[in-house]
Amino acid sequence: QVQLVESGGGSVQAGGSLRLSCAVFGYTTYSSFCMGWFRQAPGKEREGVASIYAGGGSPYYTDSVKGRFTISQDNAKNTLYLQMNSLKPEDTAMYYCAADYRYQCGSWGGWNYWGQGIQVTVSS
């Protein structure tokens, strides 16, 4: 079974950077497997942030993070990353690593595997 273990996160001032990491265990194929990052701010619904196809290809980003966040993967290490630059207070949220057996990585609904979540706090 797929298991996700997150690390990174913390507190940073506006304009700063953080990198989140997610170790992915137990996936059986690259051919139909997506990985991504979601976030949930207090009082708001969970939203998709970025996703990528494990087999390669262009990543997907929600509009609010384009140009600032970069999702990447290292298949040799079975690790997913989210590099977050130019952070804003609006980015403050609990961030979740996610994965799913699917081909459409840019669709945010119905993901089946989730990490425990890690807090990112951006102060002004």
Side-chain angles (χ1 to χ4, degrees):
Q1 185 182 29
V2 176
Q3 185 176 359
L4 310 174
V5 181
E6 300 172 356
S7 61
S11 298
V12 67
Q13 289 188 256
S17 298
L18 288 171
R19 188 179 76 163
L20 306 182
S21 299
C22 175
V24 186
F25 302 93
Y27 63 98
T28 59
T29 181
Y30 294 150
S31 64
S32 59
F33 192 71
C34 296
M35 299 178 290
W37 292 94
F38 293 69
R39 66 186 181 185
Q40 186 170 22
K44 295 185 177 181
E45 296 287 329
R46 185 178 296 183
E47 64 173 343
V49 176
S51 64
I52 192 168
Y53 179 47
S58 298
Y60 300 87
Y61 299 98
T62 192
D63 287 343
S64 63
V65 308
K66 287 181 178 178
R68 300 189 297 119
F69 291 11
T70 302
I71 188 171
S72 62
Q73 63 183 328
D74 185 338
N75 285 330
K77 298 180 179 179
N78 296 322
T79 302
L80 180 72
Y81 302 98
L82 185 67
Q83 179 66 46
M84 303 183 291
N85 298 327
S86 301
L87 282 161
K88 304 175 180 179
E90 305 94 276
D91 296 317
T92 295
M94 187 74 71
Y95 283 71
Y96 298 88
C97 181
D100 195 34
Y101 288 109
R102 61 167 65 198
Y103 291 100
Q104 179 51 261
C105 301
S107 178
W108 303 121
W111 292 58
N112 288 303
Y113 303 100
W114 296 88
Q116 75 281 7
I118 191 162
Q119 181 67 37
V120 171
T121 301
V122 184
S123 60
S124 60

